[in-house]
Amino acid sequence: MNIELSQCFIAVHDHDQALAFYRDVLGLEVRNDVAFESMRWVTVGAPSQPDVNIVLEPPLANPNASDADKRTMAELLAKGLLRGVIFTTDDVDATFERIRAAGGEVLQEPIDQPYGVRDCAFRDPSGNMLRFNQPRKG
C-alpha cells in the first residue's frame, strides 16, 4: 500500500493578497481558481511537485456554518493561530532574502536548528506561519 500527500489547505482572508504572496513571492503556480456561492478556493503548487497541491480556502469553507462560527475562525486566523505549511528549499538564506525583500513578515531569521535543518519563518498576508527549511549537511 502506498500513501502520498495530495492536498493540504491553508485558510486565507483575502485570496488576491494570498495569490500575490504564494504566486508572486514564493513562485508557486496557480492550478485552479474556483468560486462557489460567496466563497473561493485557489489551488497553488510548486512546479517541481505537480502532484502536491495547496488549496487557499476561506477561514471556514462551509456554506452552512453559522455567522458566529465564521467570525470565530476569522478571529483565529487573524491571530495567526491556525497551522501553516513547512516548505523545503535548497538555499534557505537566499529564500529568506527574497521573501524579506518582497515585504514578507519575518518571524525568524535563518538559524541552524538542533534537529538537523537550517530554517526561517514568515507570516503570510493572512497571518499563517510558513517555515522554510534546508537539511544541513554533515
Side-chain angles (χ1 to χ4, degrees), residues 36-111:
F36 176 73
E37 295 185 4
S38 63
M39 295 176 285
R40 181 179 177 195
W41 290 263
V42 178
T43 304
V44 297
S48 61
Q49 291 181 299
D51 295 332
V52 179
N53 297 296
I54 299 169
V55 181
L56 307 174
E57 66 173 354
L60 188 57
N62 180 340
N64 300 315
S66 70
D67 288 339
D69 287 344
K70 290 177 184 177
R71 278 192 305 276
T72 298
M73 288 301 292
E75 290 169 4
L76 291 172
L77 177 60
K79 292 178 182 180
L81 296 177
L82 302 180
R83 303 308 282 164
V85 173
I86 299 175
F87 293 93
T88 299
T89 178
D90 60 355
D91 188 338
V92 74
D93 294 288
T95 299
F96 174 82
E97 290 303 330
R98 188 179 84 234
I99 297 169
R100 180 171 65 174
E105 180 185 345
V106 177
L107 293 178
Q108 174 200 302
E109 294 193 8
I111 186 171

Side-chain angles (χ1 to χ4, degrees), residues 6-51:
S6 172
Q7 298 178 348
C8 63
F9 295 81
I10 297 177
V12 299
H13 74 281
D14 182 302
H15 283 85
D16 293 326
Q17 284 182 356
L19 272 173
F21 182 79
Y22 286 93
R23 180 193 58 214
D24 303 339
V25 175
L26 299 187
L28 301 181
E29 62 186 11
V30 177
R31 298 182 177 160
N32 207 354
D33 192 337
V34 177
F36 176 73
E37 295 185 4
S38 63
M39 295 176 285
R40 181 179 177 195
W41 290 263
V42 178
T43 304
V44 297
S48 61
Q49 291 181 299
D51 295 332

Side-chain angles (χ1 to χ4, degrees), residues 92 111-119 132-136:
V92 74
I111 186 171
D112 291 335
Q113 299 288 2
Y115 43 87
V117 301
R118 181 167 177 79
D119 75 351
F132 298 84
N133 71 39
Q134 174 184 358
R136 288 196 323 239

